[in-house]
C-alpha cells in the first residue's frame, strides 16, 4: 500500500490540462470585492449547495432521503416514520455539521493532521455509535459492491501518516493532489463507517484551501463516482476519477461566475451603481462614527 500511495501522487496525475480551471478561478477572484447584491446571490447558492452536497453524499451511501427531504432535515422540519429514516436524518444532519466544521477550520487556518481528520469524522457521523466516531478501526471492514480491498486495521496507524506526508510533499496540481488523497483515503478506509462522507468533506477542504470552490460529487445511476474510484484503486488508472473531480470544479466555478455576471448586468440595466451598496454602508458607518 505504501507503493500505491507513492504512485498515486507521483504518476501522471498532473499531465491533464488544468489551465481552464485556473483561469476561471482567477476570473472569479478578479471579480472581488462583491457588493451586497452579489453576496446575496452567492449566499443563496451556497445554501442550496449545502442541501445538494448533503443529499448527494448520503445518496452515494444508500440513503433514501430525497433532495426535498434533505432540505427539510436541515431546516429541522422532517419527521421520521421508522428507524431507518431516523438514521438517515442523523446522517444528513451530521454531513451538514461536517460542512460547517470545515468552513470554521478553514477560517482558523488549521493544520491538516490525523487529529483533524478524526475530528471531521466525529462531527460528521452522528448516525454511528459514539465509540467508533473519530476512532480508527480495530476489526476489518469491507466495501460493499466494490473490488477495492481496505487495508488490515494494524496497517492504518502507519499508512495514514504516509498518506499525509505524500500529500504535503507532492508537486502535483492542487486538484490532482486532493483527488489522489481522496482515492487513497477511501482505499485505506480507516473508520468503521462514514469513510465516504468524511473523505468528501476532506476533498472539499483541500479544494477550498487552494482557492477552488467545494464540489458535490454526484450519485447517479451509472455510479460514475464509485466506478472511477475503483478504477484508480484497483487498476491504477486515475484518469476517470480526475475527470469526475475536474468536471465538478468546472461546474461550480462557472456557476459562481454566472451569479456575479448576471447580478452586475441586472444592476447595469437598472442604472444602479455597482458599488452603491458598499459605498452606502460606508457612509452610514461614517455617520455613526461622527455621532
Amino acid at each position: 500500500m505504501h507503493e500505491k500511495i507513492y504512485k498515486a501522487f507521483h504518476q501522471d496525475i498532473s499531465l491533464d490540462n488544468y489551465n481552464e480551471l485556473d483561469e476561471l478561478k482567477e476570473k472569479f477572484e478578479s471579480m472581488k470585492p462583491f457588493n451586497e447584491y452579489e453576496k446575496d446571490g452567492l449566499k443563496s447558492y451556497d445554501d442550496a449547495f449545502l442541501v445538494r452536497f448533503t443529499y448527494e453524499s448520503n445518496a452515494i451511501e444508500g440513503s433514501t432521503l430525497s433532495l426535498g427531504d434533505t432540505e427539510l432535515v436541515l431546516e429541522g422540519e422532517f419527521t421520521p416514520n421508522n428507524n431507518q429514516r431516523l438514521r438517515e436524518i442523523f446522517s444528513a444532519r451530521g454531513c451538514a455539521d461536517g460542512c460547517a466544521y470545515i468552513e470554521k477550520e478553514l477560517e482558523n487556518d488549521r493544520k491538516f493532521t490525523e487529529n483533524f481528520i478524526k475530528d471531521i469524522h466525529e462531527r460528521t457521523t452522528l448516525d454511528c455509535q459514539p465509540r467508533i466516531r473519530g476512532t480508527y478501526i480495530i476489526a476489518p471492514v469491507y466495501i460493499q459492491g466494490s473490488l477495492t480491498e481496505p487495508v488490515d486495521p494494524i496497517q492504518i496507524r502507519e499508512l495514514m501518516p504516509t498518506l499525509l506526508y505524500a500529500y504535503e510533499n507532492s508537486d502535483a496540481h492542487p486538484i490532482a493532489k486532493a483527488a489522489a488523497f481522496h482515492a487513497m483515503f477511501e482505499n485505506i478506509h480507516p473508520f468503521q463507517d462514514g469513510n465516504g462522507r468524511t473523505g468528501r468533506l476532506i476533498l472539499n477542504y483541500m479544494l477550498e484551501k487552494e482557492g477552488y470552490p467545494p464540489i458535490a460529487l454526484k450519485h447517479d445511476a451509472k455510479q460514475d463516482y464509485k466506478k472511477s474510484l475503483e478504477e484508480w484503486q484497483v487498476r491504477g488508472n486515475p484518469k476517470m476519477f480526475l475527470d469526475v473531480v475536474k468536471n465538478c470544479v468546472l461546474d461550480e466555478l462557472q456557476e459562481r461566475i454566472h451569479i456575479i455576471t448576471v447580478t452586475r448586468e441586472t444592476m447595469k440595466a437598472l442604472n444602479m451603481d455597482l458599488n452603491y451598496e458598499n459605498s452606502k454602508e460606508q457612509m452610514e458607518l461614517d455617520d455613526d462614527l461622527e455621532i
Side-chain angles (χ1 to χ4, degrees), residues 48-117:
F49 173 84
L50 176 60
V51 176
R52 181 160 51 90
F53 173 83
T54 301
Y55 162 72
E56 297 286 4
S57 191
N58 285 287
I60 289 171
E61 306 302 328
S63 172
T64 63
L65 292 179
S66 67
L67 185 62
D69 292 339
T70 304
E71 180 182 12
L72 291 175
V73 169
L74 300 192
E75 292 177 352
E77 298 179 3
F78 189 89
T79 303
N81 54 19
N82 56 52
N83 288 337
Q84 179 186 356
R85 296 293 256 186
L86 181 60
R87 178 169 183 176
E88 290 175 347
I89 288 172
F90 277 108
S91 178
R93 185 67 261 175
C95 195
D97 287 353
C99 286
Y101 179 67
I102 66 168
E103 292 300 324
K104 183 188 75 172
E105 294 306 301
L106 276 167
E107 293 179 2
N108 295 335
D109 196 26
R110 180 172 176 180
K111 185 177 180 180
F112 189 65
T113 63
E114 283 188 84
N115 284 336
F116 185 20
I117 292 173

Side-chain angles (χ1 to χ4, degrees), residues 211-224:
Y212 299 93
I215 61 175
L217 291 162
K218 297 177 179 62
H219 164 72
D220 56 31
K222 295 184 295 182
Q223 294 189 323
D224 286 343

